[in-house]
Amino acid sequence: MVFRLCIYAEVIAGTIIGCCLCGMGFIDILRNITISITGIMVFVYYYGMRGSRMVKSILSQQVFLASFAVSNLLVAFTGICDTGTIWMAAVAVAAAREGMGHAVSCHLLLMLQYLVISAGAAEDTKIIIFYAVLGILLALVVSEIKKQRLFIYAAVIFISLTLVIAIVLNGSLKETWDNRGFLFRCVLGDIALLTISWVTYRLRKKSAGNKKALFALASTDHELMQRIKKYSESLYKHSLRTGNLSGMAAEFAGYSKNLARAGGFYHKAGRIYGNGDYKEACSRIIKEFAFPIQLADIIKQQVEVPEKPHSPEAALIMLSDSIISMDEYFCKTGKREGIPDEKLVRSVFNSRLAKGSFDNSGIDKEHIEKLMDFYINNAFKEETREEHYL
């Protein structure tokens, strides 16, 4: 629902901005908004089919919506100036990150926006065909790139296709040359689009690599967990419980399960290097085992004083560690049986709230209450002690 509302808001805002830039009257703006809404309804219907399967398949709705908003703004300016092909930026991003299906649907909605806003240009059938075909080809070419080096070939192919389509539509080289200013802007736009696609591809690959690394680190079979086990059985059991519980809490709250789990496993991993400089030991662990940046940040946050986590996952690790440490302490002193689970968990939460530990975590009060209930019901289950619990 949020995704659909954002699409409506972005397209309508783009339509209003474009119409105002063109100096259209109130009636014309309302008419164009109505046309845009019709296009959005088709788009939203397509994305809502089969239980919103298309929406769920988007790797990052935030990236999709951000790039679509930028393209809508660029389309708005086509009413007063020729921007070449750069307004297809969202198509380039969607093709590189989400695949051809998302890129094509995105292009079709942007084409409708172009027709609504650029009334003068829209009257030229050749321009409409040019942009329509080029956008589809952009989606096809970029979505099929599987290796980084292929972007060079893609650039050559796409720019060549731009020139060929322009010559075919113009009917001759002379007419195409006479309109070389427009073609030059399109070629520059092509270069920008391929650059955007390449950057998106690189970021996606890096993100995929980080996820793969996190998945491996969130396993008890990982080399570092085995080194912790060899160093100290008690530290291993504590780390195991903290990681498992943090992962459970993250999954419950909708955060990154593997990030919280791995962070819980290694929040005290620096101890395997003895009792020297603990911060230096943590930095050594991070470098030696090539922690992804998100995990590295969490490990560094665990040694900060005062402890004020900067992410939801870091906050969950802090809570899990505190609750499990108190449980271990009271078990060791023989006082655990006299302390109800709810009392122990509430005391940890109340202490952290009083210290302002959640202030920078991104977790609001409503979620804190829900997490408190979760910990009361799950913190002391046997599953948190299992080596291969997922």
Side-chain angles (χ1 to χ4, degrees), residues 120-135:
E123 292 174 0
D124 188 340
T125 306
K126 292 180 181 179
I127 292 291
I128 298 172
I129 295 174
F130 177 79
Y131 281 142
V133 173
L134 207 59

Side-chain angles (χ1 to χ4, degrees), residues 200-269:
T200 303
Y201 175 88
R202 290 276 297 170
L203 292 174
R204 180 171 65 85
K205 283 294 183 182
K206 184 177 180 180
S207 176
N210 286 343
K211 287 181 180 179
K212 186 176 181 180
L214 275 177
F215 183 78
L217 285 160
S219 169
T220 53
D221 294 328
H222 193 274
E223 178 189 351
L224 182 52
M225 273 299 278
Q226 294 305 309
R227 285 180 63 174
I228 292 173
K229 186 175 185 179
K230 185 177 179 180
Y231 171 78
S232 168
E233 187 68 28
S234 61
L235 177 60
Y236 174 77
K237 290 180 179 178
H238 173 84
S239 300
L240 179 68
R241 287 186 68 190
T242 303
N244 283 343
L245 181 56
S246 298
M248 291 167 62
E251 186 174 33
F252 165 80
Y255 304 125
S256 173
K257 175 182 177 181
N258 285 332
L259 179 58
R261 182 175 162 88
F265 281 168
Y266 309 121
H267 71 292
K268 292 183 178 178

Side-chain angles (χ1 to χ4, degrees), residues 130-203:
F130 177 79
Y131 281 142
V133 173
L134 207 59
I136 300 296
L137 290 173
L138 175 65
L140 176 61
V141 171
V142 173
S143 63
E144 291 300 316
I145 296 177
K146 305 302 180 186
K147 295 182 180 180
Q148 184 174 257
R149 68 172 183 271
L150 295 179
F151 272 96
I152 298 174
Y153 300 103
V156 173
I157 292 170
F158 190 59
I159 292 173
S160 298
L161 287 171
T162 300
L163 298 173
V164 169
I165 295 169
I167 293 170
V168 170
L169 290 175
N170 286 319
S172 67
L173 283 171
K174 182 180 182 305
E175 190 173 344
T176 303
W177 178 250
D178 291 340
N179 200 21
R180 58 185 177 275
F182 167 75
L183 197 58
F184 180 70
R185 287 189 292 274
C186 286
V187 171
L188 288 179
D190 292 350
I191 295 171
L193 291 175
L194 268 298
T195 302
I196 291 169
S197 299
W198 175 75
V199 171
T200 303
Y201 175 88
R202 290 276 297 170
L203 292 174

Side-chain angles (χ1 to χ4, degrees), residues 1 19 39 59 62 77 81 120 175 195 197 199 204 212 267 281 312 319 322 350 381 386:
M1 182 59 71
C19 292
L59 296 176
Q62 292 88 345
F77 280 92
C81 64
E175 190 173 344
T195 302
S197 299
V199 171
R204 180 171 65 85
K212 186 176 181 180
H267 71 292
L319 288 169
S322 298
N350 290 335
K381 287 184 175 180
E386 295 178 10

Side-chain angles (χ1 to χ4, degrees), residues 220 225 234-250 261 264-265 320-321 323-325 327-328 336 341 374-390:
T220 53
M225 273 299 278
S234 61
L235 177 60
Y236 174 77
K237 290 180 179 178
H238 173 84
S239 300
L240 179 68
R241 287 186 68 190
T242 303
N244 283 343
L245 181 56
S246 298
M248 291 167 62
R261 182 175 162 88
F265 281 168
S320 299
D321 179 36
I323 290 168
I324 290 170
S325 294
D327 179 58
E328 291 171 343
R336 182 65 180 90
D341 293 349
F374 170 84
Y375 275 99
I376 290 170
N377 296 321
N378 296 275
F380 309 105
K381 287 184 175 180
E382 285 302 313
E383 290 94 320
T384 63
R385 305 173 192 270
E386 295 178 10
E387 291 194 12
H388 298 285
Y389 174 74
L390 290 174

Side-chain angles (χ1 to χ4, degrees), residues 106-136:
C106 182
H107 177 59
L108 292 176
L109 187 53
L110 287 172
M111 273 300 301
L112 177 62
Q113 283 295 90
Y114 176 79
L115 293 172
V116 168
I117 295 169
S118 303
E123 292 174 0
D124 188 340
T125 306
K126 292 180 181 179
I127 292 291
I128 298 172
I129 295 174
F130 177 79
Y131 281 142
V133 173
L134 207 59
I136 300 296

